[in-house]
């Protein structure tokens, strides 16, 4: 965030601070255009997957390729669904309703809150952002908090939850309405987030990391819905852009990956359990 010289200076300060305290500097989901900076910092690069970004100026519901999205919108609306974007200053009054939806989602998935690279429910945090909601018969049955870029280059979501009263296709409906809303607000891009391990090459001369990632993407469905997530996001015709992990390599890498898994899972227990 900020001008390129400020970004570079901040990265170097973080590198020096980590070294002073005997730590490892790790940069998560960095973009391809910034890779020279991390090489200058003496770090190794590992592809994490690809991010799906939809160019909003070209997004519409016209044409045969969009008939699935049109069908979803029609079905949800016929089922009483109504879309609305709540401004940040009106969100506090809705927090009890949002928490009820979130708790129902966690109970249905038989999981607990994650963290770090995954959105989680926190009332103080949610108060800072607009929230998109899907109402059914007046009651909120699904929501997503928005990350609107200050220069309107991009809008994205962080946390998305729905309960058992949400109509079929609620997530697809919310994504579609948000893209139409973002286009109307003048945003250039809508980010659908990462597809982990997507776009990795499984070739004999490819790095071991890429070959392992490609294998997991093809055969690791019992651990995570890698291919399904990629296919789901593909229906919106996004531009796929690579994202990388920049960190110390060699023997440090397994520890870095374990730390990232622990952060995301909310503790060591969460790494091996829902």
């Amino acid at each position: 965030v900020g001008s390129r010289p400020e970004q570079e200076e901040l990265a170097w300060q973080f590198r020096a601070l980590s070294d002073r305290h005997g730590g490892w500097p790790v940069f998560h989901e960095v973009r391809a255009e910034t890779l020279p900076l991390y090489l200058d910092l003496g770090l190794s690069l590992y592809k994490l997957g690809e991010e799906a970004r939809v160019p909003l100026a070209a997004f519409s519901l016209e044409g045969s390729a969009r008939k699935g999205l049109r069908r979803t919108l029609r079905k949800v609306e016929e089922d009483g669904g109504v879309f609305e974007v709540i401004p940040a200053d009106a969100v506090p009054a809705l927090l009890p309703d949002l928490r009820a939806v979130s708790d129902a989602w966690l109970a249905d998935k038989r999981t607990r809150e994650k963290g770090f690279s995954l959105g989680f429910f926190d009332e103080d945090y949610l108060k800072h952002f607009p929230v998109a909601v899907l109402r059914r018969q007046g009651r909120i049955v699904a929501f997503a908090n928005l990350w609107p870029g200050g220069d309107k280059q991009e809008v994205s979501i962080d946390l998305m939850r729905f309960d058992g009263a949400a109509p079929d296709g609620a997530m697809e409906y919310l994504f579609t309405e948000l893209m139409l809303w973002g286009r109307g607000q003048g945003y250039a891009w809508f980010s659908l987030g990462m597809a982990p391990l997507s776009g990795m090459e499984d070739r004999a001369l490819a790095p071991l990391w890429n070959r392992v990632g490609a294998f997991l993407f093809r055969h690791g469905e019992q651990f995570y819905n890698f291919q399904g997530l990629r296919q789901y996001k593909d229906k919106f015709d996004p531009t796929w852009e690579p994202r990388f992990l920049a960190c110390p390599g060699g023997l440090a890498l397994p520890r870095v990956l374990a730390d990232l898994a622990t952060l995301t899972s909310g503790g060591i227990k969460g790494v091996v359990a829902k």
Side-chain angles (χ1 to χ4, degrees), residues 54 56 59 175-183 190 192 236:
V54 178
L56 293 180
F59 182 78
F175 276 130
T176 304
E177 287 285 10
L178 278 170
M179 290 178 201
L180 294 172
W181 175 85
R183 187 189 66 182
F190 184 89
L192 287 162
F236 298 98

Side-chain angles (χ1 to χ4, degrees), residues 4-150:
R4 183 57 60 88
E6 289 175 321
Q7 293 175 26
E8 294 176 356
E9 178 59 27
L10 185 60
W12 276 105
Q13 289 181 20
F14 181 65
R15 177 77 170 87
L17 187 66
S18 299
D19 183 70
R20 191 178 310 139
H21 292 276
W24 292 326
V26 178
F27 298 85
H28 189 252
E29 293 187 18
V30 301
R31 297 172 180 263
E33 60 266 25
T34 64
L35 296 187
L37 168 62
Y38 302 106
L39 291 174
D40 287 344
L41 290 171
L43 302 177
S44 299
L45 302 171
Y46 304 91
K47 189 172 183 179
L48 292 173
E50 295 177 309
E51 181 182 353
R53 302 177 74 225
V54 178
L56 293 180
F59 182 78
S60 77
L61 298 181
E62 303 298 324
S64 59
R66 301 297 193 189
K67 63 181 180 181
L69 298 182
R70 293 196 301 270
R71 187 185 307 118
T72 297
L73 261 65
R74 184 172 61 252
K75 286 178 60 178
V76 171
E77 288 168 355
E78 288 174 351
D79 204 17
V82 177
F83 171 81
E84 183 182 3
V85 174
I86 309 297
D89 58 4
V91 168
L94 296 179
L95 286 173
D97 297 331
L98 302 182
R99 178 172 288 281
V101 172
S102 179
D103 289 347
W105 185 90
L106 291 170
D108 181 68
K109 302 297 181 183
R110 298 181 181 179
T111 189
R112 62 177 185 168
E113 293 287 10
K114 305 299 184 182
F116 184 57
S117 62
L118 298 177
F120 57 94
F121 193 93
D122 180 87
E123 292 190 356
D124 290 334
Y125 166 75
L126 289 172
K127 292 174 184 177
H128 293 283
F129 304 99
V131 172
V133 301
L134 169 59
R135 299 181 190 270
R136 188 182 187 191
Q137 298 176 347
R139 186 172 77 82
I140 295 176
V141 295
F143 73 90
N145 71 302
L146 304 184
W147 281 351

Side-chain angles (χ1 to χ4, degrees), residues 87-259:
D89 58 4
V91 168
L94 296 179
L95 286 173
D97 297 331
L98 302 182
R99 178 172 288 281
V101 172
S102 179
D103 289 347
W105 185 90
L106 291 170
D108 181 68
K109 302 297 181 183
R110 298 181 181 179
T111 189
R112 62 177 185 168
E113 293 287 10
K114 305 299 184 182
F116 184 57
S117 62
L118 298 177
F120 57 94
F121 193 93
D122 180 87
E123 292 190 356
D124 290 334
Y125 166 75
L126 289 172
K127 292 174 184 177
H128 293 283
F129 304 99
V131 172
V133 301
L134 169 59
R135 299 181 190 270
R136 188 182 187 191
Q137 298 176 347
R139 186 172 77 82
I140 295 176
V141 295
F143 73 90
N145 71 302
L146 304 184
W147 281 351
D151 55 2
K152 293 204 169 182
Q153 277 298 301
E154 183 177 273
V155 62
S156 183
I157 68 167
D158 182 33
L159 178 69
M160 191 171 191
R161 299 273 164 92
F162 57 91
D163 65 16
D168 292 339
M171 287 182 61
E172 185 173 305
Y173 174 86
L174 267 180
F175 276 130
T176 304
E177 287 285 10
L178 278 170
M179 290 178 201
L180 294 172
W181 175 85
R183 187 189 66 182
Q185 295 292 315
Y187 288 94
W189 296 89
F190 184 89
S191 174
L192 287 162
M194 283 270 293
L197 305 184
S198 172
M200 291 188 171
E201 293 285 351
D202 186 12
R203 299 174 183 265
L205 297 180
L208 176 61
W209 171 265
N210 288 46
R211 284 182 281 140
V212 171
F215 178 84
L216 288 173
F217 183 80
R218 291 196 313 272
H219 305 291
E221 294 299 296
Q222 66 268 36
F223 303 111
Y224 190 82
N225 188 23
F226 294 108
Q227 294 186 58
L229 184 61
R230 167 86 188 212
Q231 292 167 1
Y232 177 82
K233 295 180 179 183
D234 255 339
K235 70 175 65 179
F236 298 98
D237 295 327
T239 298
W240 290 97
E241 300 180 1
R243 295 291 179 261
F244 300 86
L245 178 72
C247 68
L251 296 177
L253 180 61
R255 277 285 306 277
V256 169
L257 295 176
D259 288 345

